[in-house]
Every structure is written in C-alpha cells, then in structure tokens.
Amino acid sequence: MNTALNMEHFWMPFTTNRQFKAKPRLLVSANGMHYTSDDGRQILDGTAGLWCCNAGHNHPKIVAAVTSQAQQMDYAPPFQMGHPKAFEAATALASMAPKDLNRVFFCNSGSEAVDSALKIALAYHRMRGDGMRQRLIGRERGYHGVGFGGISVGGIAGNRKHYGPGLPGVDHLRHTLDINRNAFSRGLPPHGVEMADELEQRLLALHDPSTVAAVIVEPVAGSAGVIIPPKGYLQRIREICDKYGILLIFDEVISGFGRLGSAFGADYFGVIPDMITCAKGLTNAAVPMGAVLVKQSIYDTFMAAAPENTIEFFHGYTYSGHPLASAAAIATLEVYREEQLFERAAAMSGYFEDAAHSLKGLPFVKDVRNLGLVCGIELDSIPGKPTARAFSVFLKCFEEKGVLIRTTGDIIALSPPLIIEKSHIDQLFGAIGDCLKEQ
Ligand SMILES: Cc1ncc(COP(=O)(O)O)c(C=O)c1O
C-alpha cells in the first residue's frame, strides 16, 4: 500500500470515510475483467466498476478514441455552438434506442439525466397547454441519482431524510419486492402484477390523473438491491399511463447497454416508455456522460410551441455533449455492436443464473434474484447490525479472494462486464459461496 498518500482531503461519496481511510482499498489499473490493486493483486470485477464498464476495462478502441479526441479538441461550447462528435454520438445512440426515442439530450451523469427528464416532462405538458400536470410519481426503493429531482422521486430513505421535503407534489408507488411469494425466482418473479394497479386505483384516484405529468421507474431497480419487476407489471404501468396521458420514463442508467441482454430494458420487456434516462455504459464509464432519449413527438412539441428564434428548452450543462465523452460514446456503442456484447450477455445469462442460484441453501442466503447479467443475493441480517453481514462478505471477497462485489444493505449486487467468461462466473460465485460458509 502507498503509505505516503494523503487521504484527508477527498471527501469520498457514499463511503464510510473514517473506516475506509483507516484501512483503504485502492485500485491502480484495470484491463478487461480485472482491476489491479495497489498491492499488486488481480481483482476480478464482479460489478463492472459501478454497473458501468460493460465492455470491460480499458477497451483499446475506447481508449484510442478518447486519446485522439483529447489531442484534437479539448472542448467546444454546446450553447449556440456545436461540434460534429456530439451529433454523431446522438445519432449512434438514437439508432440503438427503441423506435421513436430518437431525440437525445446529453448531460454528464445519471442524476442529471433524471433531473433533465423530469424537467422535460413538466415543460412538455405546459407547452401543450396542459400545465396543471405537475405531479411526478416515483417508486419506493427507486434510485434516480442524487439531484433534488432524483431524490424526490427516488424511494431510498437514507438518500432523502437529511434534505428537506424535496419537490412538491411527488408521490410513490410501492416497491415490488415480495420475498414471501417470490423468493429464489429465476428471471421475472411470477407474483405481483397487481401492484401496478395501485397507480390507477390509489395514486390517480387520490390526485386525479389530470394533475400527473410523469411516472418514473427503473425497469429493474438496481441500487436498492436488484428488484426484478413481476411478470406483466411494466406492461400494466404502460397501459395505465397511456389511458390517462401520463408520460412514462424508464430510468435505464443500470438496465441500459446490454445489462439484460438487450440494448435497453425497454427492449427486453417489450414496453416502450416516452423517455429513457441513461449514463454509465453509454461511454463504458471512460468519460462521464448521461443522456435522455426522448420520443420525437415530445421534441416536436417543444419546437412547435416556442416562438421562432427562441430557445425551446431552457436547460443544459456546460459539458452537454463534451467532445471527450462524445468520442467515448461513439466508440463504446461501436464496440457493443462489433463485439455483439448484448447478445453475448443474453447467451451467458443462463450460466450466470445457474451459478447465482447454486448459492441457495448456503448459510444466511434469504433470496437470490437475477435477470440478464445482474443478480441480487439477499442475506439474513445480523440481529441489530443491518448491513454488517453483507459488508463483511464484501471485505473478505476483496481482501482474501481477489473479487470485487457490491453490497447495499444486506444484499450483494452483481453486475459484471458483459465480456465475462464462464470461468469468471465460477470464480465470482465460488468466492461468495466460500465467504458465506466461512462467516
Ligand atoms: C437507475 C439510476 N439512476 C440514476 C443513477 C445516478 O447516476 P449517477 O451516479 O451517474 O448520477 C443511478 C446510479 O447508480 C442509477 O442506478
């Protein structure tokens, strides 16, 4: 370990700073499926970084694209100016997206994508002359980043409680995790489609549909512990939104770019939302970038409503469509296509599922849930010490087994790069199994 490193000044995000700085875990290089730690160990990446390096680390094509762009032009302003790569990146993204979601608003993160999408939804209704539609509906245990919009529609108490009341007029659907009925489901859980009906029967009945602008959900809730939607649930949500003229936003920051074995969760479920928010895998995380994919009819409404020669949407970021991010996105989307990584993820998902469910019956394993190349393993908590059991598995995996996993509460969440091989899958679940036996 690098003992000379001064760790005082970096206030680490979503981290137990004091604990970490007392006993740090540092990564210094990466390649393919592996990180190298500062003590020279190879660490198998079971989490694609943070659900984002879907093509594996340091892909030569992406590295070359970013390097060459950095040499050619560092930055160009995106307000009333442009540069070709932002348009090329938008075209590449639109051509991968579900039909009609062919207008792209760029930003720098998933959080910004979510806040941008919520603003588009509110402004859209106003532009149509239906400005009463100001309510936003999220879901309990939803994660939509850390902006004020995102935490308002989000449903993770710890991310909300310190920050005041959030946006007004927000309500939440129930989350769909039902371990009593659906424990150890392979793929989509069979029970719970009726939970979608509460959108109509409870929330729209209470607020009146004419006040609701948009519903936002993750097709598969990731950060709160991999919650897979019950069969038919997203279809039902779509039907209800259609019935009442409410926009449906899928937050695909995790489920996008092959995680479920298709370009987007929307493709996997055959449910097309009005907007998709994405980030992470968009650039393989080589450069930060987020985007909102918007139905053309929504974009057209903005263009038609704003007077000639005025800005149609008063929103944007200094780094929207940044040249380095655009170059990374173009290269990344090409890599996904050329190497058929989404198809590969789909092909590997059966083996991944079997390996995940082989943990059933091991000590403390309360549930295993999976879809595509994502899986959640929920553990029984140590009485009075929530999160401690999973975190100790995380530490043991990293320190003793050379495997990086992620935990949230007492749930282990796995989301490896899509280039994972069967031998890596064996290593990953083997390490977790051994750690559980050694608890
Ligand atoms: C579904 C979802 N939305 C939004 C975000 C926020 O993305 P970022 O951390 O890039 O702001 C995340 C991050 O994990 C996410 O999973």
Side-chain angles (χ1 to χ4, degrees):
M1 191 180 79
N2 180 355
T3 46
L5 189 65
N6 182 347
M7 292 196 159
E8 276 175 42
H9 299 283
F10 178 26
W11 187 344
M12 298 174 70
F14 279 122
T15 294
T16 49
N17 274 257
R18 290 156 298 168
Q19 187 186 33
F20 183 94
K21 289 171 187 180
K23 198 163 185 281
R25 296 172 293 280
L26 296 178
L27 304 171
V28 293
S29 67
N31 188 29
M33 281 298 302
H34 291 90
Y35 281 110
T36 306
S37 60
D38 67 338
D39 53 0
R41 292 180 305 123
Q42 287 290 289
I43 309 288
L44 177 69
D45 184 1
T47 59
L50 201 49
W51 327 77
C52 47
C53 304
N54 292 6
H57 294 277
N58 282 27
H59 194 289
K61 183 163 184 158
I62 303 168
V63 173
V66 175
T67 308
S68 133
Q69 182 57 44
Q71 284 161 348
Q72 188 187 331
M73 182 172 69
D74 51 359
Y75 175 75
F79 304 168
Q80 305 289 24
M81 288 299 297
H83 68 92
K85 288 226 169 60
F87 293 93
E88 286 171 36
T91 304
L93 182 54
S95 71
M96 191 173 268
K99 196 169 146 284
D100 289 344
L101 278 84
N102 59 15
R103 296 295 182 263
V104 178
F105 192 91
F106 280 129
C107 51
N108 308 289
S109 66
S111 300
E112 290 180 357
V114 166
D115 281 16
S116 301
L118 299 178
K119 281 188 173 182
I120 292 171
L122 293 172
Y124 165 74
H125 288 299
R126 205 180 129 98
M127 299 231 169
R128 292 190 310 113
D130 197 359
M132 283 294 288
R133 290 189 183 263
Q134 294 178 357
R135 288 189 186 279
L136 300 165
I137 294 179
R139 193 167 54 184
E140 292 167 1
R141 293 184 75 160
Y143 184 64
H144 301 293
V146 292
F148 273 100
I151 61 169
S152 300
V153 292
I156 300 181
N159 294 349
R160 295 160 52 91
K161 67 182 177 194
H162 296 295
Y163 311 116
L167 290 184
V170 171
D171 211 339
H172 292 79
L173 289 156
R174 267 185 304 165
H175 69 74
T176 62
L177 184 62
D178 185 350
I179 294 185
N180 286 338
R181 288 195 293 169
N182 287 326
F184 299 101
S185 296
R186 288 170 172 254
L188 303 187
H191 305 291
V193 62
E194 73 287 349
M195 287 190 254
D197 291 332
E198 71 154 353
L199 173 58
E200 185 172 36
Q201 291 167 3
R202 186 168 71 81
L203 298 181
L204 298 185
L206 175 65
H207 298 298
D208 196 82
S210 68
T211 68
V212 179
V215 170
I216 180 167
V217 290
E218 302 158 86
V220 170
S223 300
V226 185
I227 305 175
I228 317 277
K231 274 192 189 118
Y233 173 91
L234 292 170
Q235 282 82 353
R236 188 76 66 87
I237 294 280
R238 176 72 274 186
E239 284 161 18
I240 298 168
C241 287
D242 280 345
K243 184 168 166 192
Y244 295 106
I246 296 166
L247 295 179
L248 178 60
I249 305 168
F250 276 179
D251 186 348
E252 299 234 29
V253 167
I254 284 177
S255 56
F257 306 110
R259 182 56 49 206
L260 305 183
S262 53
F264 290 95
D267 304 306
Y268 180 88
F269 290 103
V271 176
I272 309 302
D274 301 292
M275 284 186 255
I276 287 176
T277 52
C278 61
K280 295 193 190 269
L282 170 55
T283 56
N284 208 38
V287 182
M289 189 180 224
V292 190
L293 283 157
V294 182
K295 265 199 179 150
Q296 187 177 336
S297 54
I298 297 178
Y299 174 86
D300 289 345
T301 299
F302 279 70
M303 298 306 125
E308 197 69 18
N309 298 327
T310 59
I311 290 170
E312 299 94 0
F313 181 36
F314 279 85
H315 179 68
Y317 302 91
T318 300
Y319 303 128
S320 286
H322 189 282
L324 297 194
S326 298
I330 295 164
T332 300
L333 300 181
E334 266 171 29
V335 167
Y336 291 149
R337 275 221 172 84
E338 284 166 6
E339 298 184 12
Q340 303 200 317
L341 290 185
F342 304 164
E343 295 78 357
R344 188 193 156 77
M348 263 313 170
S349 63
Y351 194 84
F352 185 78
E353 175 174 281
D354 287 344
H357 285 271
S358 72
L359 300 179
K360 184 176 177 182
L362 290 187
F364 317 115
V365 176
K366 187 170 156 186
D367 187 21
V368 174
R369 29 192 197 260
N370 70 286
L371 200 65
L373 287 186
V374 65
C375 124
I377 303 151
E378 182 147 353
L379 305 179
D380 287 319
S381 300
I382 299 172
K385 290 189 186 170
T387 77
R389 172 111 55 209
F391 198 71
S392 80
V393 175
F394 161 77
L395 286 180
K396 211 174 172 54
C397 273
F398 182 77
E399 287 164 2
E400 296 174 23
K401 315 284 181 197
V403 167
L404 181 65
I405 63 170
R406 177 156 174 76
T407 65
T408 166
D410 272 308
I411 303 162
I412 296 169
L414 301 175
S415 58
L418 313 181
I419 59 168
I420 193 165
E421 304 278 354
K422 287 182 177 170
S423 59
H424 299 131
I425 295 178
D426 295 343
Q427 187 189 346
L428 181 59
F429 288 100
I432 295 169
D434 287 348
C435 290
L436 287 169
K437 288 180 216 153
E438 291 161 18
Q439 281 289 299

